[in-house]
Amino acid sequence: AVERGARAAGLAPGRVRRFASVPEMASAVKADARPGDLVLVKASRGMRLEQVVEALAPGRSGALDPVHAAGRE
């Protein structure tokens, strides 16, 4: 339903992706996030999307520091 709504609102088909697992999604978000990006993770706890947040959280190996990711020092 979200994908359908995004496309109906004009989002290009190539901008909508599906993932087989939450860890796969976490890796993709981590690879795509750039300094200054704001990543909103919204879902039920049952989906376990906290794994996406954990992949981006400071203190994790290779994680982005949110202050530096936002371009502030």
Side-chain angles (χ1 to χ4, degrees), residues 7-8 10 12-13 18-19 27 33 39 41 45 47 49 52 61 63 65 68 73:
R7 288 188 179 174
R18 292 180 183 216
F19 299 95
S27 292
V39 178
V41 178
R45 291 294 311 266
M47 293 183 72
L49 290 186
V52 175
S61 177
D65 175 344
H68 292 98
E73 304 259 354

Side-chain angles (χ1 to χ4, degrees), residues 41-73:
V41 178
K42 172 74 174 96
S44 68
R45 291 294 311 266
M47 293 183 72
R48 302 203 30 122
L49 290 186
E50 65 269 13
Q51 294 174 46
V52 175
V53 175
E54 290 169 356
L56 297 171
R60 298 267 178 191
S61 177
L64 297 174
D65 175 344
V67 172
H68 292 98
R72 297 183 295 269
E73 304 259 354

